[in-house]
Amino acid sequence: MAPAASEPPWRLLFTLRELAHPGSLAARGLPRTAVRIESGPQVARTPHPTDVAIAEVWDGRLAANPRLFDAPKYRLASSFATGGECALRIGLTRYRDYIGTHLSSEFARLVSDGERDFGDGNAHLGCALGVETVLLTADQHIVLLRRSTAVATSTGEYNGPSGHPEPNLAVGGLDATPEAIRDQLWDAVIQETFEETG
């Protein structure tokens, strides 16, 4: 069953239980060299006949919240973790396309058509890649922040320091190598944590 259109589908690579197990890969963390990136046009979002609705959804959100802005984002096509390594298939999308597909009244159809036509429920979705930090304090507490009312989704909810890596900041920009994309993911975690916690 697909999630409701108002709730983006989330997929965890690691659970809290795995993080709590001292010997687990999640608890130890992944070094950069254990993250493999596949990128390119083959992992781009596949257009759909309902794409005209993207502008309608975006315009509605923008009218309600003029602080939103469109920018290039990395698109997470798929991911898996196995044997001490994490593989990410990453393309490009835009924030507008992420909001316009994930909050569309056609969300269930987009997922269904993607599964039927490509064996991939995310084929027609923006799937903007986000990063989130599990920030552990010296006294063994986890830092949670309340999300601003100025964001497009999950306003007022709590999560760790988070945000979206910016493709324009990677070495090579929108034409970055897989290694430069991986470095930008790491840099984004640090930058978002610093910006949101001071």
Side-chain angles (χ1 to χ4, degrees), residues 133-137 142-146 159-162 189-198:
T133 304
V134 177
L135 185 58
L136 188 64
T137 63
I142 293 176
V143 175
L144 293 176
L145 305 171
R146 189 166 193 181
N159 61 285
S162 62
V189 169
I190 294 166
Q191 180 178 344
E192 294 293 345
T193 301
F194 178 77
E195 288 177 357
E196 293 187 7
T197 64

Side-chain angles (χ1 to χ4, degrees), residues 26-45:
R28 291 190 317 268
L30 290 172
R32 286 184 199 222
T33 55
V35 176
R36 186 171 44 86
I37 305 291
E38 176 191 336
S39 65
Q42 73 277 14
V43 291
R45 185 181 76 82

Side-chain angles (χ1 to χ4, degrees), residues 167 169-173 175-177 180-181 184:
L169 298 179
V171 174
D175 298 316
T177 65
I181 293 171
Q184 173 53 21

